[in-house]
Amino acid sequence: MVIKLEKVDVVVVGTGWAGGVVCAELSKAGYKVVALERGKNQTREDYIGVKDELRYTNRYEMMQNLSSETITSRNNLDEVALPVRTRKEMMAGTDLGGGSVHWAGACYRWTPYDFEIKSKTIERYGKGKIPEGMTIQDWGITYDEMEKYYDKWEKTAGISGEADPNPLAAKRSSDYPNPPMKESPPIKLFKEATKKLGYHPFQVPAGNLSQSYTNPDGEAMNACMYCSYCTQYGCDFGAKSDPLVSVIPTATKTGNFEARVGANVRRVIYKNGKATGVLYVNTLTGEEYEQPADVVVLAAFTFTNNRLLLLSGIGEPYDPKTRKGVIGRNYNGQFGITFLGARGFFDEKKFNYYAGAGALGGVISDYAADNFDHTNLNFLNGGGIEMRQYGSGPIATNKVPKGTPSWGAEFKKKSVHYTNRSLVVWYTSANMAWWHNYLSLDPTYKDDNGDPLLRVTFKYTDQDRNIAKFGIEKSREIMEAMGADIVDEDEVPQEFDHVYDGGHYAGGVIMGTDPATSAVNNYLQMWDAENIFVIGASAFPQFAGHHPTETVGALAYRASEGIEKYLKEGGMLVAKKEVSTQV
């Protein structure tokens, strides 16, 4: 028997940056908000003493347990998809705060080109530059319209950074709220080398705070201690920008917000073109609840947002055979082929890699977006070239030059010698959307509740391989200029290997102006259900050449503005423009 609960103004599925921002903004505005999180409750204090590489880097303790629910994966339409079984193969966040708690902290704004990629590509290069089958599209919003939301998120999160010195960089309305992190010797080496090559290096904008900071909502955050336990870890010192030290406490203080943990949402309840609430299961008792609400916000991971819409029968599922439908369309993200580059080994230089932070690093944007001429290149878009000092754990990091035996006396000798003597430079290449990469429900495999798993169909293209090769060449050039004695290049894989370890997956509920090719408008409001807002990377029509978190946060502020307007006025917030000429 389903237990029906008291109606609230807004129910939010997910408590990461996307859901957390919405909860804070709407509860501050006086609306009653309930957030549903399938994981357990967590606070900053729960992460005290978690600096344990074996538990978190090697055994993935902060990641979702895949024994109850996972995804299936395949490369081609005629293949049978198989389940992804281990957390090493798919690292998806869980618990209060979601994946936003274990993230590294790199914070990039996406460029004007990224938001209007189809229009700007045709304008500069002509329609023929876009290959047949590539389904990139404009977002339905411009960078100039997004800028104020980027600025607001940076101030809420306390981002540490400096403006990109590239003359082609997008304009900013204000500086970062905190100065950049420290310039360590490896970062200084990277900057000196790239400057000599004529590039424009700057410090990676970081969600690791360079100083103590109090955000506009009054939430206090501490300065980073450079302990090196960021990626795959929660911050016990409250020095990493995450929902647990910012938007969730802000929402809680209003008295209008409840975070309900152990609540696994199975369906959006949908009748006559509108949602009336959600159905969820208490993960401890197995009891089912209906949470009625005036507005339903899906702000979970990309896979969850897509799956809930498909299970609930909301929106037309994408069909690759006809290339019609929208839910599941344009699956994209950052994969194994994304972060390729060159590793340098130094015989005479030694670096202190015991210290570090998730976004401590240097970067150039000279080969990002359309900042360079693509006329004679066999790919679109680009990416940032980075060098990071994460802080190297002794178990996970044991790099030796190529050709070294994987065991024995020579391996031991080089392993000891090159400890703290190697650096890596990589290219964060963009990922374009294609007609054959999409999300759907699996016809065979089900979760513990008997619901079909989400099926991912994804394969690499020549675009992916070509942009990766370009990035490796540029990374090698920089590493050689840094003075490495040995430079090893990464190898470009020919096909996707079904390992989802990056956490940056997007699309399927994408933004746009045409309901034939998009699921949501530029307020993240569904075309097919005016009181459902779907927020997160699932809205990205394609993936830019930088990390996604800041754009997720900015879109959440945009959506919050739209939800508040909807609660006051109702109706569609953006007029439909049925302008599609290519599906």
Side-chain angles (χ1 to χ4, degrees):
M1 178 181 175
V2 177
I3 302 169
K4 190 170 184 177
L5 303 172
E6 184 178 348
K7 187 178 181 181
V8 296
D9 297 312
V10 183
V11 61
V12 180
V13 181
T15 58
W17 271 120
V21 166
V22 171
C23 292
E25 292 302 291
L26 295 178
S27 60
K28 285 192 298 181
Y31 294 103
K32 295 296 182 182
V33 181
V34 167
L36 302 176
E37 167 60 53
R38 68 179 167 194
K40 62 182 181 296
N41 186 46
Q42 291 287 91
T43 66
R44 180 173 68 85
E45 289 73 20
D46 291 313
Y47 295 109
I48 293 174
V50 301
K51 294 175 172 57
D52 186 328
E53 187 186 359
L54 185 63
R55 284 173 62 191
Y56 292 93
T57 300
N58 293 78
R59 295 178 178 170
Y60 313 101
E61 194 165 305
M62 285 189 69
M63 308 304 164
Q64 178 186 330
N65 185 338
L66 302 183
S67 64
S68 297
E69 177 196 327
T70 183
I71 60 171
T72 64
S73 184
R74 64 180 183 173
N75 297 126
N76 298 297
L77 273 63
D78 58 355
E79 295 175 351
V80 175
L82 296 176
V84 176
R85 299 287 189 184
T86 72
R87 286 186 282 191
K88 183 177 181 179
E89 296 167 307
M90 188 177 82
M91 288 183 277
T94 188
D95 300 334
L96 192 69
S100 303
V101 176
H102 74 249
W103 73 309
C107 300
Y108 294 101
R109 295 183 177 194
W110 287 3
T111 70
Y113 175 76
D114 292 314
F115 290 104
E116 302 172 86
I117 185 171
K118 185 174 182 180
S119 298
K120 289 183 178 293
T121 298
I122 292 172
E123 179 184 342
R124 185 172 182 181
Y125 305 106
K127 290 184 178 180
K129 187 64 174 176
I130 302 174
E132 195 284 324
M134 182 184 283
T135 53
I136 58 173
Q137 64 186 52
D138 295 351
W139 291 50
I141 196 168
T142 66
Y143 172 84
D144 289 342
E145 292 172 300
M146 284 290 295
E147 201 281 335
K148 67 177 181 180
Y149 305 112
Y150 276 131
D151 185 71
K152 187 169 185 177
W153 185 83
E154 288 169 356
K155 288 178 169 59
T156 296
I159 302 308
S160 305
E162 59 186 351
D164 183 349
N166 190 331
L168 297 177
K171 300 297 183 287
R172 302 176 55 89
S173 60
S174 66
D175 293 333
Y176 288 101
N178 289 304
M181 302 190 80
K182 294 182 182 299
E183 186 183 86
S184 67
I187 298 169
K188 184 178 180 181
L189 187 63
F190 172 85
K191 288 183 175 180
E192 289 173 347
T194 50
K195 281 180 181 177
K196 287 180 182 177
L197 292 169
Y199 302 138
H200 303 83
F202 61 104
Q203 204 81 4
V204 173
N208 320 111
L209 276 70
S210 60
Q211 62 185 12
S212 297
Y213 173 73
T214 300
N215 77 6
D217 290 317
E219 307 302 341
M221 306 173 197
N222 295 317
C224 178
M225 302 298 288
Y226 298 91
C227 74
S228 80
Y229 289 89
C230 291
T231 307
Q232 301 174 335
Y233 297 83
C235 183
D236 60 346
F237 201 63
K240 182 166 66 172
S241 307
D242 66 42
L244 298 184
V245 296
S246 56
V247 287
I248 290 177
T250 296
T252 302
K253 289 174 184 176
T254 67
N256 296 320
F257 170 70
E258 178 191 354
R260 201 172 293 160
V261 297
N264 186 19
V265 178
R266 293 184 60 196
R267 297 289 189 281
V268 176
I269 302 170
Y270 178 69
K271 299 175 182 177
N272 302 320
K274 293 183 74 173
T276 61
V278 299
L279 176 73
Y280 72 90
V281 176
N282 183 307
T283 57
L284 293 178
T285 67
E287 294 175 297
E288 287 191 316
Y289 293 87
E290 178 184 343
Q291 178 58 69
D294 291 323
V295 170
V296 172
V297 177
L298 302 185
F301 193 47
T302 291
F303 294 154
T304 302
N305 284 350
N306 276 272
R307 184 170 181 248
L308 279 174
L309 291 174
L310 291 168
L311 288 172
S312 304
I314 303 171
E316 182 182 355
Y318 174 70
D319 183 349
K321 294 180 181 178
T322 63
R323 304 193 190 184
K324 296 186 182 299
V326 292
I327 307 301
R329 183 177 186 268
N330 279 33
Y331 172 65
N332 60 86
Q334 292 180 321
F335 306 89
I337 203 169
T338 304
F339 300 103
L340 301 182
R343 179 173 292 276
F345 295 87
F346 298 78
D347 287 326
E348 302 301 328
K349 290 181 180 177
K350 199 167 187 178
F351 309 101
N352 178 16
Y353 257 35
Y354 294 101
L360 177 63
V363 62
I364 63 170
S365 68
D366 298 80
Y367 293 109
D370 203 33
N371 290 345
F372 57 112
D373 187 9
H374 288 71
T375 301
N376 297 317
L377 296 175
N378 52 5
F379 61 87
L380 289 178
N381 214 307
I385 300 181
E386 296 189 20
M387 199 290 301
R388 298 260 198 107
Q389 183 169 339
Y390 291 103
S392 298
I395 302 174
T397 309
N398 193 0
K399 304 297 182 182
V400 293
K402 286 184 178 179
T404 303
S406 59
W407 62 282
E410 185 181 353
F411 170 78
K412 291 179 181 179
K413 180 180 178 181
K414 290 186 176 180
S415 173
V416 171
H417 177 71
Y418 286 113
T419 297
N420 294 322
R421 292 181 189 269
S422 76
L423 302 174
V424 63
V425 172
W426 75 82
Y427 192 51
T428 312
S429 58
N431 180 245
M432 301 294 93
W434 296 82
W435 70 270
H436 49 70
N437 293 337
Y438 73 107
L439 304 171
S440 58
L441 293 178
D442 193 276
T444 304
Y445 294 96
K446 300 182 179 355
D447 67 8
D448 280 358
N449 293 311
D451 292 328
L453 299 182
L454 188 74
R455 179 176 63 183
V456 178
T457 304
F458 179 81
K459 64 179 179 180
Y460 291 149
T461 64
D462 287 340
Q463 154 79 23
D464 300 311
R465 290 181 280 268
N466 293 337
I467 194 173
K469 290 175 184 176
F470 176 86
I472 291 169
E473 291 171 3
K474 298 302 177 184
S475 297
R476 182 185 186 94
E477 173 190 46
I478 293 169
M479 186 56 71
E480 288 176 343
M482 290 170 67
D485 296 289
I486 300 171
V487 179
D488 285 343
E489 294 183 1
D490 288 327
E491 296 179 3
V492 178
Q494 290 303 300
E495 192 50 276
F496 176 57
D497 59 2
H498 310 289
V499 175
Y500 298 81
D501 60 357
H504 300 162
Y505 308 111
V509 195
I510 63 175
M511 293 173 63
T513 58
D514 183 359
T517 57
S518 62
V520 296
N521 62 29
N522 63 29
Y523 282 104
L524 291 302
Q525 179 187 35
M526 287 198 73
W527 296 118
D528 291 328
E530 65 180 39
N531 69 334
I532 300 178
F533 291 75
V534 188
I535 307 170
S538 55
F540 298 174
Q542 52 275 324
F543 213 97
H546 278 307
H547 294 65
T549 305
E550 184 157 348
T551 299
V552 170
L555 286 175
Y557 276 112
R558 169 75 176 178
S560 298
E561 187 178 282
I563 295 167
E564 189 171 353
K565 183 177 181 181
Y566 175 81
L567 285 165
K568 292 176 179 177
E569 303 173 9
M572 294 301 299
L573 302 175
V574 179
K576 300 177 181 180
K577 295 181 181 179
E578 299 186 2
V579 296
S580 178
T581 57
Q582 177 185 339
V583 175

